[in-house]
Amino acid sequence: MFQLVNEVREKNPLIHNMTNVVVTHFTANGLLAIGASPVMAYAKEEAADMARISGALVLNIGTLSETEVESMILAGKAANEQRIPVVFDPVGAGATPFRTEMSRKILNEVKISIIRGNAAEVAAITGEKWEIKGVDAGSGDGSIVELANKAAHLFGCTVVITGKEDVITDGGRTHIVENGHELLTKVTGTGCLLSSVIAAYTALEQDSVKAAATAVSAYGIAAEKAAATTAYKGPGSFQIEFLDQLSKISKEDEVYAKIKTTKE
Ligand code: ATP
Ligand code: TZP
Ligand code: MG
Ligand code: MG
C-alpha cells in the first residue's frame, strides 16, 4: 500500500488547489514535502486550463465567495471532462447556510472523487445533524462509520471523515485509520492539507479508497513522529517538525500503519 508514498515522490504530480486564504502557504509546503508539485489558481479566466494540466484538483471552501465557487465549478467540470480526480473539502459546511448551499451546488455540478471533512461538515452536506463551531467539528451522537457510508452512497464517491479516528469508505469497502496525534488539532490547516495530500495520492492511484487510506495513515504517522520530539515544546515546533517528517515518509513506514479494514 505504501509503495504509493514513494511513487508520489518519484512522479511529482501537479496538484491544483483552489483553497482558502488561511492555509495556502502551509498547503503548498506540505505538498512539496510529500514530493508533489502544488499550484494555486483561482481566476475564472484560467481555473479550467490549470485543472486540465493537473494530476488532481482540490476544491476547498474555507474562505469562499460566490465568484470563487463559480471558478471552482468551471475547474471541476474541466477536470471531469479529462477524468482528473477532484477532492472536495467542505470546510465549515453547516456553520452558515451559505456554506451548506455552496457545498450542495458544487456537489450537484461537479463529479467529486473524494470528499474529506470532519464529521460535522459531512453531516451538514448529507442532511444529518451534528454540532459545528465555525470550521471545527463539535460533538455528535451518531456513528461516523454510518455517516460516512450514507454520504458515500448519496454522492457516489469515496468519503473520508477525520477526527481522532479516521473513516474511509466508498460505501462498500471501509477502513478505519488510527494514526495521528492530538497536536494536529492545534495547528490550523492540518485538515485542509490532508485533503490536498489525498489529492496527490489519488492523482497516481485510481482506487480512491486505497489512495485515501494510504494518505491518511502516512500523514498520521508523520504527525506521530513529529510529536515524539516536539510535543513538550508545543504546536509551533510541532508544525515545523511535521513538515520535516512529511518530507521523510516512505514505504518503509508502512510498519507503523494502523489501518483496520471493517468491510472489504
Ligand atoms: P476540525 O476543524 O474539526 O479540526 P479538520 O478539517 O481540521 O477538522 P481534522 O479532523 O482535525 O480535520 O483532521 C486533520 C488531521 O488531524 C487528520 O490526520 C486526523 O486524523 C487528525 N486528528 C484530528 N483529531 C485528532 C485526535 N484527537 N487525535 C489524533 N489525530 C487527530
Ligand atoms: N477559517 C476559515 S478556513 C480555516 C479557518 C480557521 C482553516 C481551516 O483549516 P482546517 O484544516 O479545517 O483546520
Ligand atoms: Mg483539525
Ligand atoms: Mg477542515
Side-chain angles (χ1 to χ4, degrees), residues 20 60 89-92 116-118 121 135-136 162 189-192 195:
N20 66 76
N60 175 313
D89 188 332
V91 184
R116 201 290 318 164
N118 63 41
E121 292 159 348
V135 298
D136 292 327
T162 53
T190 55
C192 300
S195 297

Side-chain angles (χ1 to χ4, degrees), residues 171-194:
R173 291 167 300 156
T174 303
H175 297 300
I176 296 178
V177 175
E178 288 174 348
N179 295 108
H181 193 277
E182 225 184 330
L183 270 171
L184 284 170
T185 67
K186 302 295 174 203
V187 176
T188 192
T190 55
C192 300
L193 171 57
L194 177 57

Side-chain angles (χ1 to χ4, degrees), residues 241-253:
E241 185 60 25
F242 178 52
L243 284 178
D244 289 343
Q245 291 298 335
L246 279 178
S247 78
K248 291 179 190 152
I249 209 89
S250 76
K251 69 173 196 252
E252 271 71 44
D253 290 300

